[in-house]
Every structure is written in C-alpha cells, then in structure tokens.
Amino acid sequence: MSIFTEQEAKAILDKVIALSKADECTATLAGSVNGNIRFALNNVSTSGIVSNAQLAVEVSFGKRVGTASINEFDDAALERVVRRAEDLARLAPENPEFMPIIGKQEYRATPTFSESTAAITPEFRAQVAADSITPCRGNGLIAAGFLEDGNGFYAMANSKGNFGYQKSTSFDYTCTVRTEDGRGSGWVGRNLKDASDFKADQDIEIAKRKAIESAEAKALEPGKYTVILEPAAAAGLISFMMNFFDARSADEGRSFLSKKGGGNKLGEQVYDSKVNLFADPWHPEAPVLPWDGEGMPRERVTIIEDGKIANLDYTRYWAQKQGKTAKASAGNLLMSGGTKSIAELVRGTEKGILVTRTWYIRMVDPQTVLLTGLTRDGTFYIENGQIKHPVKNFRFNESPVIMLNNIDELGKPVRVAGDESSFVMMIPPMKLRDFTFTSLSDAV
C-alpha cells in the first residue's frame, strides 16, 4: 500500500517522533501511484504503474543534523530509520546556518486533488495513445509522446507538535508529431489539474497542423525580431529567471537583483509596467500544497507588481540575519495577462515570428540572466497578420529581464510546467519587441 489516510499517516509519524532521542525531530511521509504510457513511431512502446511510499526522518543534536529514509513501516523498521538518522547526526559537523524546526502551524487546505485525475485507468491511458496515434498513422505523420499521471499524499510532523496532511494529483501530456521525411515537426503539451478537461483527439490536431505546415521551412537572417512566444516557449525562460529571486544572492551581489554598492532592488522598477507575477496556493487552476519544504504556511504573495519587485524569497536563516520576516517559498508562479488567444495576437502583428517552443536553455551570464537556447517544433514567419511560411529554427541569446521590458501585448494565461523548475505556472502568450536570434539551427 502506498496511499495512506490521514489517520494512518499520523499514526506512523507519531511513532517516529516518540522514538527519537534527539533534541529535535521532523518526519515526512509521502506515497503515490504514478501511471504512464509512452508511444513512438506510431506505436505504444512502454506503459506501467509505479507505486511507492517513503518515510524520511531528520533529527538534530544541537546544530548537528542527520537524515535517513526508508520504505518499510513496521515498528522495527521505524526504530532502525530513527537510530540511523541519529547516528548520522552525531557524526555530522555543526551547521553554522542551522535553524530550529518550526512550531505548530495552521494550514488551510488547497484544491490539489482531482477526482477525475485520481480515477485514471490503464484503459484511459491506452485511449490517449490511440487518439494521438490514429490521426497520424497512414497520413504521412509520426507521433511520439508521453502521458504521466499521479495520485498521492504528503504528510509531515515534528517534535514541536506540527502536523500536516494533504492529497494531490498530477497530469502531464506531451506529443511531438513529425512528417515521415523528417522535415516538419509540431508539438503540443498539456499540464492540467483535471483529467476531465483533456481531449487528446483535439490537441493532436495542433501538433499535426504544425508538423505539416513547418515542412518547407525557409531560412531567415538572424537578428532582432518581434516575436510571439507561446506560453510553453515563454515558461522556460521565466522559470529560469525565478531562480534569482532569492534575497541572499541579491544581497551578496550574485544576482541581477543586486544593487550597486550593496543591497537589493526590492521596490524598484525592473520590468515593463505590464508585468505582474504572483504566487497563490489556492489558485483554482494551479493549486499547490499549503506549505513549503520547511513546513512554513504558504500564502498569496505578490512577486512583481506593475513591473516593480514586490517580494524576494527570504529563507528563515537569511531573514533572521537581515532582520526580515521569513515567508514560505512559492510553489506556483502566476502571470497576469489579457484575453487574446495566440491567433488573435498573430492577426494583430504586421511582421514577426511565432515560436512554439524553446528548449535546451542554458545560462550565459547570471548577472543579467542572459540565456541561450533554441526554437523547435514549429517556428513561423508572420506578415500582415497572417502566417506566411515556416522558418528554420534559431538559436537565441536573450535575457528574460530584457524580454519583459519589451512587451507589446500579453494574451490569456494558460497552465504550463516550467522546464527548469518545479513551479506550476500560468503564463500568457507574449508579443515582444526586439527578441535576439543569433544564428540558424539545422534541427527541425
């Protein structure tokens, strides 16, 4: 069994806390049933279900910390894992940035559990694969994709009386469609809360159309262009940028949010006034657990307001050192936008480039968050509000900080998964000026 009820989980965690002889003890128990199906070359290649549960115990003697984990839950196993953590703590050097565990907290449940997602069966996954493959087979197209869904729980307790328990589900689908000659490629992805909102037979049409229409790609000179980034294309760049919203790296001069002469840019105008980013664990379309990794209660937090830095991420240690209030780390990233679809943004563009995806994103300069990466799976030239023809893929060198200062228009946000982070994200399509493409790529 890998899914425990709240009462079952609490009984195990209470035993662990009672067994510990350390100064402090924190125990976390998590379990899940994850299903998947993978297909390639218009055939299912693998499918399966993975069921697992794991207990992690962290103890401290003074500033010495030890951690151990186990996936057995009888009394003897619980005794073993606690003693192992304590043995490791006694051997560990003192942590100069050690923080005591938090006290008892109050958590307001978030809607992370979906009945329709938890009810997914092997037959459902097989139908998704069939709905993705059938429209491609025999029509000069080849589909390859992956569906992964999860149903699980997370529970925690500590020796100061804190306890939390919550169930959650996950759903993530991607599919790439290519022409048989390999000259055209299209892609579609869906990261959803509710499986009942998913229609593979409709979504596959997006990937099919892009594959067919991208087959006769023309070379376009690299340079600065107006671009429309689809949400999946923008998410990778923005999630990279969010790694630098740590107050410590800014205060220590290691971030684009560092101020010359010391300090950080909290409260300063850094982006276009159209940029508004926030975190909200109770967001109905992108909810996350109501606590962070330390058990701190999450709350709705404004990160960027009208282009100004409204909040930075202070760990408990750094907040204490700087005389600030520590807040829980964000679990989602939500960006405000408008109401227009990608098609409507295209119709309002005189000349530009539509980018389906960005990938293989790597850091060039952390001080400016200059990133490099490639477009893929459908890049198109826009003229007079219409898609004129596909263009060969580009390598880009661009900073999301500069990018978010060159906004012409934002569309309607949709849920996507950040490529370089664990954020659940709601990101709008973006029409941007002067996006920098540095060279062509022969990849499709």
Side-chain angles (χ1 to χ4, degrees):
M1 182 176 72
S2 58
I3 306 292
F4 295 106
T5 66
E6 181 172 350
Q7 293 73 22
E8 291 167 337
K10 190 174 188 305
I12 292 172
L13 295 175
D14 285 347
K15 284 183 181 180
V16 169
I17 300 301
L19 284 166
S20 177
K21 300 174 183 177
D23 297 337
E24 295 183 339
C25 177
T26 298
T28 59
L29 180 62
S32 64
V33 178
N34 296 307
N36 66 80
I37 191 164
R38 187 187 300 275
F39 50 96
L41 298 176
N42 287 341
N43 287 285
V44 171
S45 56
T46 59
S47 64
I49 296 176
V50 178
S51 177
N52 190 34
Q54 182 165 297
L55 170 71
V57 179
E58 180 174 293
V59 302
S60 62
F61 292 99
K63 295 184 177 181
R64 301 177 188 274
V65 179
T67 303
S69 61
I70 200 167
N71 61 358
E72 299 176 279
F73 308 108
D74 59 80
D75 290 348
L78 299 183
E79 174 88 25
R80 282 200 308 275
V81 73
V82 171
R83 298 297 164 248
R84 177 63 173 162
E86 291 175 347
D87 289 345
L88 291 170
R90 292 185 181 96
L91 293 170
E94 287 194 347
N95 177 2
E97 298 182 6
F98 173 83
M99 292 295 294
I101 60 176
I102 63 172
K104 190 173 182 178
Q105 307 290 320
E106 294 293 330
Y107 303 116
R108 180 157 68 94
T110 55
T112 53
F113 183 81
S114 163
E115 293 286 355
S116 66
T117 305
I120 287 176
T121 62
E123 289 77 15
F124 178 98
R125 299 182 196 103
Q127 189 62 54
V128 168
D131 288 344
S132 304
I133 293 168
T134 301
C136 299
R137 183 179 285 157
N139 291 298
L141 299 171
I142 299 171
F146 188 59
L147 167 65
E148 184 174 31
D149 58 87
N151 172 23
F153 78 96
Y154 186 93
M156 62 175 177
N158 71 22
S159 52
K160 289 186 178 179
N162 193 37
F163 174 76
Y165 174 94
Q166 188 155 310
K167 296 193 296 180
S168 64
T169 52
S170 60
F171 183 99
D172 195 72
Y173 165 85
T174 61
C175 184
T176 300
V177 175
R178 293 209 166 187
T179 56
E180 288 182 340
D181 60 12
R183 294 189 302 144
S185 183
W187 178 89
V188 66
R190 292 287 181 262
N191 182 274
L192 301 171
K193 177 190 171 187
D194 294 309
S196 58
D197 294 334
F198 181 65
K199 300 291 186 289
D201 56 347
Q202 296 177 17
D203 288 333
I204 195 65
E205 294 301 319
I206 299 170
K208 280 177 56 185
R209 186 177 70 251
K210 288 190 174 183
I212 294 168
E213 294 178 356
S214 65
E216 301 293 338
K218 300 178 182 179
L220 200 63
E221 282 296 315
K224 290 185 178 292
Y225 287 90
T226 292
V227 298
I228 295 173
L229 297 184
E230 295 194 12
L237 284 78
I238 292 174
S239 61
F240 232 117
M241 178 185 74
M242 298 312 298
N243 293 327
F244 293 87
F245 270 69
D246 171 61
R248 182 174 187 172
S249 64
D251 291 342
E252 292 180 342
R254 297 181 284 111
S255 164
F256 79 99
L257 292 173
S258 301
K259 219 172 181 179
K260 287 184 179 179
N264 59 55
K265 295 181 181 179
L266 190 64
E268 294 190 12
Q269 190 86 32
V270 175
Y271 305 97
D272 186 290
S273 60
K274 298 183 187 72
V275 179
N276 288 279
L277 284 164
F278 62 100
D280 183 359
W282 299 281
H283 191 281
E285 294 180 66
V288 292
L289 291 176
W291 55 74
D292 69 2
E294 289 189 284
M296 294 277 288
R298 285 182 170 137
E299 56 189 59
R300 192 188 191 283
V301 176
T302 300
I303 302 169
I304 302 170
E305 185 172 22
D306 300 331
K308 294 180 180 179
I309 306 301
N311 273 290
L312 294 175
D313 185 13
Y314 281 87
T315 63
R316 290 199 298 139
Y317 168 78
W318 196 247
Q320 178 178 276
K321 188 176 178 65
Q322 299 295 94
K324 302 289 185 179
T325 300
K327 293 182 179 179
S329 60
N332 57 11
L333 180 66
L334 313 167
M335 185 172 181
S336 302
T339 60
K340 289 185 178 180
S341 65
I342 295 167
E344 289 172 318
L345 292 178
V346 169
R347 283 196 290 271
T349 302
E350 184 178 350
K351 288 185 179 180
I353 295 172
L354 173 65
V355 178
T356 298
R357 289 180 69 197
T358 52
W359 75 295
Y360 208 68
I361 300 171
R362 296 293 182 269
M363 180 64 66
V364 177
D365 178 13
Q367 289 290 342
T368 60
V369 203
L370 181 62
L371 306 175
T372 189
L374 299 162
T375 67
R376 72 177 301 180
D377 296 325
T379 307
F380 300 91
Y381 180 66
I382 304 165
E383 191 173 284
N384 297 324
Q386 293 184 331
I387 301 291
K388 283 296 182 182
H389 57 76
V391 294
K392 287 190 173 182
N393 283 308
F394 290 102
R395 173 170 290 280
F396 62 84
N397 274 24
E398 189 59 84
S399 166
V401 183
I402 295 172
M403 178 181 94
L404 294 178
N405 272 289
N406 289 332
I407 297 173
D408 277 343
E409 198 169 3
L410 299 174
K412 184 179 179 180
V414 299
R415 176 168 164 157
V416 293
D419 289 344
E420 299 295 333
S421 76
S422 57
F423 285 122
V424 175
M425 306 175 74
M426 295 286 294
I427 300 292
M430 303 178 183
K431 182 178 175 181
L432 309 165
R433 304 179 300 274
D434 297 330
F435 194 89
T436 307
F437 294 116
T438 54
S439 62
L440 295 177
S441 169
D442 289 330
V444 176

